[in-house]
Each structure stands twice: as C-alpha cells, then as structure tokens.
Amino acid sequence: MSVAIPTTAWAAPAVNEHPSRPVADPSVELVIETREPLQDGELFGESGAYERLRGHVLGELDPDAPANAGIVDLDKAPVNDDGMVEYSVDIEIHKPVDADKGNGTLLYEAVNRGRQLMLGSVNGADSLLYEEGFTVVWTGWQGDIPGTETTLVGDFPIATDAGEPIVELVRAEFVDQGTGTWTGDLPYPAATLDRAVTGLSVRERESDPRRPIESWRYLDDRRIEVTSPGEPYSSGAIFEFIYPAKDPIVLGMGFAATRDINSYLRSGDRDSAGNPNPLGVGSIDDTIALGISQSGRFLRDFVYQGFNEDIAGSRVFDGVMPIIAGSRKIWLNDRFAQVGWWSKQHEQHLQEGDQFPFAYGTVRDPLTGREDGILDDCTETDTCPKVVHVDGEYELWGARGSLLVTDGDPAGPRDLEQPAAVRLYLVAGTPHGGADRILPETEDRGICQQVNSPLGNSAVVRALLLRLDGWVAEGVEPPASRYGSVDGRLLVPAGQESTGFPEIPGVTYNGLYNHLAVTDYDAVPPITGAEYGVLVPRVDEDGNALAGIRLPAIEAPLATYTGWNLRAAGHAEGEMCPGAGSFIPLPETRSQRLDTGDPRTSITERYRNYADYVHQFSRAADALVADGHLRPEDAATMVAEADALRLVP
C-alpha cells in the first residue's frame, strides 16, 4: 500500500546539543509516598514481618553518556538546564522489616503492562517469596499506557525535531473486532485527519492479499470507527490501518530506568536528593530479575541491548528468569514502538521484536549470514547474568521456541550448544500461561475449537526460581536444560505424520506453520521473506508432548493437553487461537473408545481403579521433585488435587 505524506514530514532531524560531561552515578531520586505493614504485619517464617513501600522515582539520563548511546531518540528529547533528560516511573518495594532476616537477594519483577503478575503466579497462597526472604521490587518501564492505582508505569518524554513534531507512517492492526461497527484505538496521535494520506485494508489471514476498504472515519486523532465489510470476512479478520502519526515517546528510556534504579538499590548509599537507600546499605548481595510473557521478552532485550551493564561498568542482575517469552524480544527501543503487541501466527504477525537473534549463544542466521546472540554484548563486558528460561508448549507453536535450541536452518535445523550460564526448560502441554489445574474450570471454548488446556507452569517456576537463587548466591547449579532437541528426536517438523499426533475424533490437527522472517521492518507494512526451520514437539500415543518437563497430569493423563488450539468457525477458522492450548478428554471406557474410533487408551483401561490413578500421578510428581523441577510442597498440592477428583472408577 502506498500512502503519500507531505514532504515537510520528512525534514532532516535536528539533534539537541549541550556540553558533554563525564559519566556520573545514576541520577535517581526515590520518593516514597506510602509505607505500611505488608498484609497487616503478618509474620513470614524466619523472614518475619514485611513492609510495603510505594511511590515514584525521578530520574535523569545523560544523552552524551556512552551507556545511553543506544537509546533511540534520546538525543531528540527535551533536556533540563543541566542538559539531562528527565523521567518518572512508579515503584513498589516489599522488604523484610529487619533486613538481617532477608536472604540478601533483590528479586525484581519487570511488570507486564504495568501489572504485578508474580504475586499470584509465583508467590502463591503460601507467600513463597516472603517465606524465603526475598526483597521484592517492581518499577514501571512502559511509557505508552496510562497509570492506575494498581499499575506501575513510566512517564517518558516525546521526541521532536528541534521542537517540531516528528511524523512518520505507523501501522496499527485490529483483530477480533466482530462483524459490525467498532472503534479502534490508535497507538499514536494522527498527524492529520486527512483521509487522503491514510489507508485501511482487511484480510482474512496473514498470508492473504490486503483489500482496501473505505468504510471508516476518524472519531478524533486517537480513534477510528470502522464498519466491517461482511462476507467473506469473519470476526477474526485482520484490519490494518496505515496513517501518518506524530509524537513518538522515547520508550527505550524504560531500559535505562530499570538499569539505574536497580543498580542504585543494590549498592547505592543515598539517592540524588540525599535520601538514604530504603533497602539499607549492605543488605543486598545478589540480584535476580523475573519477567512473565511481555516482561520476559523485555528482560531478553534488556540483556541483548547491553543494559545489564550499569553506567559504572558493573553487572545489574546476576540472574534473569524470562518466562513464556519464547524466542522473542520486545518492540520497545524504537521510534513509534508499540510495546503491547506480541507476534502470533495470526495476529500481529509482523510485529517487531520477533527477529534474529533468538538464541542466547552466538548463532549464524541461516537466512542472512549474520552472527549474533542474546548474550554477545554482555559477554564482551563480562556483565552477563545466569539465565533460567522457562517456556510453555505454546511458545514452540506460537513463539518459535525451537530457535532457542536450534539454528533454524530451513534445510534442516541443527541443535545448538548452550552457554554454560544458560538453562532452558519447556513445560509440556501448557498454553501461554495456564491455570495450574488438571481439569478446566469451564467448557467455554471462546473463539477456539477446543477447550483451553488448564495446565500451567507456576509450580515449575517456583522450584526453578529457588534453584536460580542458589546458582547465583552459592554457585549450586540448577538441573540440566530440558527443552527438547533434534538429535534426541523430541523436536520435529510440524506435520501430523512427523509429530505422531493421533487421529482424534472431532479434532482438527494444527499442521500449519508460517512464521515468516521479516526482511524489512522499515517498510510499512513490513516485507517478509523466507521461513526459518521451526520445530515442534513429537508426541506420545495420547498426543501429549514428549519434550520438556512432563507434569504429573501428562504422565498420568485424563486428557490430551497441547500447546496449540485452532480458531473456530466465524473467527478466521483454522488459524492458531492466540495463546491457547487444547484440552481433549480421553474416552472414559473401552466401549466409548470403540464407538467413536478414538485411538487413545480409555481411562478405565488405563487405570485399575481410583487408587491406581492417584498412585501413578503421585509417582510422576515424586520424579519431578527428585529432578529438581518441583518443590515437595507443590508436588503434594498437585497430588491432593488429583486425589480430590475421584473421577476414576
């Protein structure tokens, strides 16, 4: 699609100029607005009572500092009288009242769209993080979303060309809007409401040609109203709006803010305003960063772009734990970035942040010949963290997870040797997240063909977080990687024959895979090229993945659990359902199996009785405890859930 833009929008950018200065200590001021007992002063084992601090951080970045050289448009941001670029981010801290009772580890969670996910999924009902004595920190880093009472965000400046607005073409995508009239929010303000310099198109699937449509109008500079064209397009159709936008936010400052605040909290005495470090000097020995989904991608890019080295040349985080990030990074440190998007097979497929390099070690890109790796920069500066990376099975189907462990050669991927400081784990049968249950709470399929898989990875993450802490603090290595390999015949091409997925009545197999490489992200829309060689798990006779960590619910199954699901009729049928896995119950009896033609062994043929089912489930849980993939307490919780089902005769 070709869109004409007034030539004045493309004037050569000007650069803010100010006297250069030597690099100083991080300029951060912590403003603590509330300080209160956590959970009404509850005592958490040997850690004792915790307190909750909440406020904001006022920071400054030097545009001339080498540590900030990679921040896109920092040189185009407004500066104060000292030539510094100012920002503000929200902060929350949970720390032991008596610092001596803590475990000496600062655990930073990169928030997901401003939300603290770790408290529910990792801390859990037993308050694991507090019982273990972690000092827990969150700061805002995303600057393109509004703040609320429950979210933590960043406030970063808008870049300009010497005070004049920066205008460029921006692409916005809308999916699952229904088939009537709907409103779409634009990621950046429109530079003009002139329809002659815009274009709206629709396509049923990513690979389909774009069809221009005119049934839309601007409501204002941040919203459009669209009337869907109807047949043959379903509610899952992809609408692509290309328009001249203005006022890009310097979002890459979120990386630097995360770097500087955590560096200060770890070892600083007083902040730039003279306030004492709220954690106390000497209370923190080690630092770990954890991120889930969007924020796991944030951490991978944080390390890749060199921000794990602070401005004094020291390591910021000793360990990082990206969770369900797959092989992606994040679209953050870029002009007109759209941070909330994440690339999927159908939706936002052309999103930046899903491009080479994928693996942690140095790899030669089979499509371009370029060599790079997530840890290349920090290896040169000796600031690499230890990495424990945990994915669900969905990440192999929807996030090209196999590119973490293979070279992606289209002619036949080969296994990679992982760096010594990296561990990679796959949790089989899980969607993007999961509910940590054996059976789903609802039979609602939404826009998907199958009920979503109820399995989750939280129990595995809890165990491996403690192993990462031991690795960082004491040098005790965690279990060996368990992600799957080509040589082990656990990762294979996606076809049904190669995976061995059974012919289950009523189930359409997901044999599609069209994650194209983008050859030009500067084009609008981006230009795609060849495909990487991407692999998925081989499965057992029930259709459950053989690769990775197999939870007790898979070793002693009541269903087939997959990391993929397909869109249902009326919703771009046959495309991958976003973030979802599948729950496909096993036949209950032999007669039911024979009547339906289901090839899977029935429940009554599989287990002699209810006690046999619980015994097999418990034995699988014990094996994961022995391997270091589950804590005994969480294994016992799983067994208790299985025991309470009483579904097996």
Side-chain angles (χ1 to χ4, degrees), residues 563-604:
W564 57 267
N565 203 330
L566 299 184
R567 285 173 166 266
H571 305 282
E573 183 176 8
E575 296 286 271
M576 280 188 64
C577 209
S582 296
F583 169 82
I584 309 165
L586 294 173
E588 294 183 7
T589 64
R590 181 175 183 272
S591 61
Q592 184 187 57
R593 172 174 66 81
L594 295 175
D595 289 345
T596 60
D598 197 320
R600 301 170 298 165
T601 303
S602 70
I603 291 175
T604 54

Short mmCIF file of all heavy atoms in Angstrom, two decimals, residues 563-604:
data_model
loop_
_atom_site.label_atom_id
_atom_site.label_comp_id
_atom_site.label_asym_id
_atom_site.label_seq_id
_atom_site.Cartn_x
_atom_site.Cartn_y
_atom_site.Cartn_z
N GLY A 563 -0.11 -27.56 23.33
CA GLY A 563 0.25 -26.15 23.36
C GLY A 563 -0.32 -25.38 22.19
O GLY A 563 0.08 -24.24 21.94
N TRP A 564 -1.25 -25.96 21.47
CA TRP A 564 -1.88 -25.29 20.32
C TRP A 564 -3.39 -25.51 20.35
O TRP A 564 -3.88 -26.46 20.93
CB TRP A 564 -1.30 -25.79 19.00
CG TRP A 564 -1.42 -27.29 18.80
CD1 TRP A 564 -0.49 -28.23 19.13
CD2 TRP A 564 -2.55 -28.00 18.26
NE1 TRP A 564 -0.96 -29.48 18.82
CE2 TRP A 564 -2.21 -29.38 18.29
CE3 TRP A 564 -3.79 -27.62 17.77
CZ2 TRP A 564 -3.09 -30.36 17.83
CZ3 TRP A 564 -4.66 -28.61 17.31
CH2 TRP A 564 -4.30 -29.97 17.34
N ASN A 565 -4.08 -24.61 19.70
CA ASN A 565 -5.52 -24.69 19.51
C ASN A 565 -5.81 -23.93 18.23
O ASN A 565 -4.99 -23.10 17.80
CB ASN A 565 -6.25 -24.05 20.70
CG ASN A 565 -7.67 -24.54 20.88
OD1 ASN A 565 -8.34 -24.92 19.94
ND2 ASN A 565 -8.15 -24.53 22.13
N LEU A 566 -6.92 -24.20 17.60
CA LEU A 566 -7.26 -23.54 16.35
C LEU A 566 -8.49 -22.67 16.51
O LEU A 566 -9.37 -22.96 17.34
CB LEU A 566 -7.51 -24.57 15.24
CG LEU A 566 -6.34 -25.48 14.87
CD1 LEU A 566 -6.71 -26.37 13.69
CD2 LEU A 566 -5.10 -24.68 14.56
N ARG A 567 -8.55 -21.63 15.72
CA ARG A 567 -9.71 -20.76 15.71
C ARG A 567 -10.94 -21.50 15.15
O ARG A 567 -10.82 -22.28 14.21
CB ARG A 567 -9.44 -19.51 14.87
CG ARG A 567 -8.52 -18.50 15.56
CD ARG A 567 -8.15 -17.37 14.62
NE ARG A 567 -7.56 -16.26 15.34
CZ ARG A 567 -8.22 -15.21 15.79
NH1 ARG A 567 -9.52 -15.12 15.56
NH2 ARG A 567 -7.62 -14.25 16.44
N ALA A 568 -12.09 -21.20 15.74
CA ALA A 568 -13.33 -21.85 15.35
C ALA A 568 -13.96 -21.13 14.17
O ALA A 568 -13.53 -20.04 13.76
CB ALA A 568 -14.30 -21.86 16.53
N ALA A 569 -15.00 -21.74 13.62
CA ALA A 569 -15.73 -21.15 12.50
C ALA A 569 -16.24 -19.76 12.89
O ALA A 569 -16.73 -19.55 14.00
CB ALA A 569 -16.90 -22.05 12.11
N GLY A 570 -16.11 -18.84 11.95
CA GLY A 570 -16.53 -17.47 12.20
C GLY A 570 -15.47 -16.59 12.80
O GLY A 570 -15.69 -15.40 13.04
N HIS A 571 -14.28 -17.16 13.06
CA HIS A 571 -13.20 -16.41 13.71
C HIS A 571 -11.87 -16.67 13.00
O HIS A 571 -10.86 -16.96 13.65
CB HIS A 571 -13.09 -16.79 15.19
CG HIS A 571 -14.35 -16.63 15.96
ND1 HIS A 571 -14.82 -15.41 16.41
CD2 HIS A 571 -15.29 -17.55 16.35
CE1 HIS A 571 -15.96 -15.57 17.05
NE2 HIS A 571 -16.27 -16.86 17.03
N ALA A 572 -11.85 -16.59 11.66
CA ALA A 572 -10.67 -16.95 10.87
C ALA A 572 -10.36 -18.43 11.11
O ALA A 572 -9.28 -18.80 11.57
CB ALA A 572 -9.47 -16.07 11.20
N GLU A 573 -11.33 -19.26 10.82
CA GLU A 573 -11.27 -20.69 11.13
C GLU A 573 -9.98 -21.34 10.61
O GLU A 573 -9.56 -21.12 9.49
CB GLU A 573 -12.46 -21.41 10.51
CG GLU A 573 -12.53 -22.89 10.84
CD GLU A 573 -13.77 -23.56 10.30
OE1 GLU A 573 -14.51 -22.90 9.53
OE2 GLU A 573 -14.02 -24.73 10.66
N GLY A 574 -9.38 -22.14 11.50
CA GLY A 574 -8.19 -22.89 11.14
C GLY A 574 -6.88 -22.21 11.47
O GLY A 574 -5.84 -22.87 11.53
N GLU A 575 -6.89 -20.90 11.72
CA GLU A 575 -5.70 -20.22 12.17
C GLU A 575 -5.47 -20.56 13.65
O GLU A 575 -6.37 -21.04 14.34
CB GLU A 575 -5.85 -18.70 12.01
CG GLU A 575 -6.00 -18.24 10.57
CD GLU A 575 -4.70 -18.30 9.81
OE1 GLU A 575 -3.95 -17.31 9.82
OE2 GLU A 575 -4.43 -19.36 9.19
N MET A 576 -4.25 -20.29 14.14
CA MET A 576 -3.97 -20.60 15.54
C MET A 576 -4.73 -19.68 16.47
O MET A 576 -4.80 -18.47 16.25
CB MET A 576 -2.47 -20.52 15.81
CG MET A 576 -1.70 -21.74 15.35
SD MET A 576 0.02 -21.71 15.89
CE MET A 576 -0.18 -21.78 17.66
N CYS A 577 -5.29 -20.26 17.52
CA CYS A 577 -6.01 -19.50 18.52
C CYS A 577 -4.98 -18.84 19.45
O CYS A 577 -4.10 -19.53 19.99
CB CYS A 577 -6.94 -20.43 19.31
SG CYS A 577 -8.41 -19.61 19.93
N PRO A 578 -5.06 -17.54 19.68
CA PRO A 578 -3.97 -16.83 20.36
C PRO A 578 -3.76 -17.27 21.80
O PRO A 578 -4.67 -17.21 22.63
CB PRO A 578 -4.42 -15.36 20.30
CG PRO A 578 -5.91 -15.42 20.14
CD PRO A 578 -6.17 -16.64 19.32
N GLY A 579 -2.55 -17.73 22.09
CA GLY A 579 -2.15 -18.07 23.45
C GLY A 579 -2.75 -19.32 24.03
O GLY A 579 -2.49 -19.66 25.18
N ALA A 580 -3.56 -20.04 23.25
CA ALA A 580 -4.33 -21.15 23.80
C ALA A 580 -3.69 -22.50 23.50
O ALA A 580 -3.05 -22.69 22.47
CB ALA A 580 -5.75 -21.13 23.26
N GLY A 581 -3.90 -23.45 24.41
CA GLY A 581 -3.63 -24.85 24.17
C GLY A 581 -4.96 -25.58 24.03
O GLY A 581 -6.02 -24.96 23.93
N SER A 582 -4.90 -26.90 24.03
CA SER A 582 -6.13 -27.70 23.89
C SER A 582 -6.23 -28.71 25.03
O SER A 582 -5.23 -29.28 25.47
CB SER A 582 -6.14 -28.45 22.56
OG SER A 582 -6.17 -27.57 21.47
N PHE A 583 -7.46 -28.91 25.48
CA PHE A 583 -7.80 -29.96 26.43
C PHE A 583 -8.78 -30.89 25.73
O PHE A 583 -9.89 -30.48 25.38
CB PHE A 583 -8.42 -29.36 27.69
CG PHE A 583 -9.04 -30.37 28.61
CD1 PHE A 583 -8.25 -31.07 29.51
CD2 PHE A 583 -10.41 -30.62 28.60
CE1 PHE A 583 -8.81 -32.00 30.38
CE2 PHE A 583 -10.98 -31.54 29.45
CZ PHE A 583 -10.17 -32.25 30.34
N ILE A 584 -8.35 -32.13 25.50
CA ILE A 584 -9.17 -33.10 24.75
C ILE A 584 -9.31 -34.34 25.63
O ILE A 584 -8.39 -35.16 25.71
CB ILE A 584 -8.51 -33.45 23.41
CG1 ILE A 584 -8.15 -32.16 22.65
CG2 ILE A 584 -9.43 -34.33 22.58
CD1 ILE A 584 -7.19 -32.38 21.50
N PRO A 585 -10.44 -34.50 26.33
CA PRO A 585 -10.58 -35.60 27.29
C PRO A 585 -10.39 -36.96 26.64
O PRO A 585 -10.77 -37.19 25.49
CB PRO A 585 -12.01 -35.44 27.81
CG PRO A 585 -12.37 -34.02 27.51
CD PRO A 585 -11.64 -33.66 26.26
N LEU A 586 -9.77 -37.88 27.39
CA LEU A 586 -9.65 -39.26 26.95
C LEU A 586 -11.02 -39.93 26.98
O LEU A 586 -11.89 -39.54 27.78
CB LEU A 586 -8.70 -40.03 27.87
CG LEU A 586 -7.23 -39.60 27.87
CD1 LEU A 586 -6.48 -40.35 28.97
CD2 LEU A 586 -6.58 -39.82 26.52
N PRO A 587 -11.24 -40.93 26.14
CA PRO A 587 -12.50 -41.70 26.27
C PRO A 587 -12.56 -42.34 27.65
O PRO A 587 -11.53 -42.77 28.19
CB PRO A 587 -12.40 -42.73 25.15
CG PRO A 587 -10.95 -42.80 24.81
CD PRO A 587 -10.38 -41.46 25.07
N GLU A 588 -13.73 -42.40 28.23
CA GLU A 588 -13.84 -42.91 29.59
C GLU A 588 -13.77 -44.44 29.65
O GLU A 588 -13.21 -44.99 30.60
CB GLU A 588 -15.15 -42.43 30.23
CG GLU A 588 -15.19 -40.92 30.43
CD GLU A 588 -16.46 -40.47 31.12
OE1 GLU A 588 -17.23 -41.35 31.57
OE2 GLU A 588 -16.68 -39.26 31.24
N THR A 589 -14.33 -45.10 28.66
CA THR A 589 -14.40 -46.56 28.69
C THR A 589 -13.96 -47.14 27.35
O THR A 589 -13.88 -46.44 26.34
CB THR A 589 -15.83 -47.04 28.97
OG1 THR A 589 -16.67 -46.63 27.90
CG2 THR A 589 -16.36 -46.47 30.29
N ARG A 590 -13.72 -48.45 27.36
CA ARG A 590 -13.34 -49.13 26.13
C ARG A 590 -14.45 -49.05 25.09
O ARG A 590 -14.20 -48.82 23.90
CB ARG A 590 -13.00 -50.60 26.43
CG ARG A 590 -12.56 -51.40 25.21
CD ARG A 590 -12.14 -52.80 25.61
NE ARG A 590 -11.65 -53.55 24.47
CZ ARG A 590 -12.41 -54.28 23.64
NH1 ARG A 590 -13.73 -54.33 23.86
NH2 ARG A 590 -11.88 -54.92 22.62
N SER A 591 -15.69 -49.23 25.52
CA SER A 591 -16.80 -49.19 24.57
C SER A 591 -16.93 -47.81 23.95
O SER A 591 -17.20 -47.68 22.74
CB SER A 591 -18.10 -49.59 25.26
OG SER A 591 -18.42 -48.70 26.31
N GLN A 592 -16.72 -46.76 24.75
CA GLN A 592 -16.78 -45.41 24.19
C GLN A 592 -15.66 -45.20 23.18
O GLN A 592 -15.86 -44.60 22.13
CB GLN A 592 -16.67 -44.36 25.31
CG GLN A 592 -16.81 -42.93 24.82
CD GLN A 592 -16.54 -41.91 25.90
OE1 GLN A 592 -15.47 -41.90 26.52
NE2 GLN A 592 -17.52 -41.05 26.17
N ARG A 593 -14.48 -45.72 23.49
CA ARG A 593 -13.35 -45.60 22.57
C ARG A 593 -13.66 -46.29 21.25
O ARG A 593 -13.41 -45.73 20.17
CB ARG A 593 -12.10 -46.21 23.21
CG ARG A 593 -10.90 -46.33 22.28
CD ARG A 593 -9.68 -46.79 22.99
NE ARG A 593 -9.78 -48.14 23.51
CZ ARG A 593 -9.59 -49.25 22.78
NH1 ARG A 593 -9.33 -49.14 21.48
NH2 ARG A 593 -9.67 -50.45 23.33
N LEU A 594 -14.22 -47.49 21.32
CA LEU A 594 -14.51 -48.24 20.11
C LEU A 594 -15.64 -47.59 19.32
O LEU A 594 -15.62 -47.54 18.08
CB LEU A 594 -14.87 -49.68 20.46
CG LEU A 594 -13.73 -50.51 21.08
CD1 LEU A 594 -14.24 -51.88 21.50
CD2 LEU A 594 -12.57 -50.64 20.11
N ASP A 595 -16.65 -47.09 20.02
CA ASP A 595 -17.79 -46.47 19.34
C ASP A 595 -17.39 -45.22 18.56
O ASP A 595 -17.94 -44.95 17.49
CB ASP A 595 -18.89 -46.11 20.35
CG ASP A 595 -19.59 -47.34 20.91
OD1 ASP A 595 -19.44 -48.42 20.31
OD2 ASP A 595 -20.26 -47.20 21.95
N THR A 596 -16.46 -44.45 19.11
CA THR A 596 -16.07 -43.18 18.47
C THR A 596 -14.87 -43.33 17.55
O THR A 596 -14.56 -42.41 16.79
CB THR A 596 -15.75 -42.13 19.54
OG1 THR A 596 -14.65 -42.60 20.35
CG2 THR A 596 -16.96 -41.86 20.42
N GLY A 597 -14.17 -44.46 17.66
CA GLY A 597 -12.96 -44.63 16.85
C GLY A 597 -11.77 -43.87 17.40
O GLY A 597 -10.81 -43.58 16.67
N ASP A 598 -11.81 -43.57 18.67
CA ASP A 598 -10.70 -42.84 19.31
C ASP A 598 -9.53 -43.79 19.51
O ASP A 598 -9.69 -44.85 20.13
CB ASP A 598 -11.17 -42.27 20.66
CG ASP A 598 -10.25 -41.19 21.19
OD1 ASP A 598 -9.02 -41.33 21.07
OD2 ASP A 598 -10.76 -40.19 21.74
N PRO A 599 -8.33 -43.47 19.02
CA PRO A 599 -7.19 -44.39 19.15
C PRO A 599 -6.55 -44.39 20.53
O PRO A 599 -5.70 -45.24 20.82
CB PRO A 599 -6.21 -43.86 18.10
CG PRO A 599 -6.50 -42.40 18.03
CD PRO A 599 -7.99 -42.27 18.22
N ARG A 600 -6.93 -43.46 21.39
CA ARG A 600 -6.28 -43.35 22.70
C ARG A 600 -6.88 -44.34 23.70
O ARG A 600 -8.09 -44.57 23.71
CB ARG A 600 -6.43 -41.92 23.23
CG ARG A 600 -5.82 -40.86 22.32
CD ARG A 600 -6.19 -39.46 22.77
NE ARG A 600 -7.63 -39.24 22.72
CZ ARG A 600 -8.27 -38.25 23.31
NH1 ARG A 600 -7.60 -37.38 24.03
NH2 ARG A 600 -9.60 -38.14 23.21
N THR A 601 -6.04 -44.87 24.54
CA THR A 601 -6.48 -45.80 25.57
C THR A 601 -7.45 -45.09 26.52
O THR A 601 -7.20 -43.97 26.96
CB THR A 601 -5.28 -46.33 26.37
OG1 THR A 601 -4.36 -46.94 25.47
CG2 THR A 601 -5.72 -47.35 27.41
N SER A 602 -8.54 -45.76 26.84
CA SER A 602 -9.55 -45.14 27.70
C SER A 602 -9.07 -45.09 29.15
O SER A 602 -8.12 -45.77 29.55
CB SER A 602 -10.86 -45.91 27.62
OG SER A 602 -10.73 -47.17 28.25
N ILE A 603 -9.78 -44.32 29.95
CA ILE A 603 -9.41 -44.15 31.36
C ILE A 603 -9.55 -45.47 32.12
O ILE A 603 -8.67 -45.85 32.90
CB ILE A 603 -10.26 -43.04 32.00
CG1 ILE A 603 -9.87 -41.68 31.40
CG2 ILE A 603 -10.10 -43.03 33.51
CD1 ILE A 603 -10.72 -40.53 31.88
N THR A 604 -10.64 -46.20 31.90
CA THR A 604 -10.85 -47.44 32.66
C THR A 604 -9.90 -48.54 32.21
O THR A 604 -9.60 -49.45 32.99
CB THR A 604 -12.30 -47.92 32.50
OG1 THR A 604 -12.63 -48.03 31.11
CG2 THR A 604 -13.26 -46.96 33.19
#
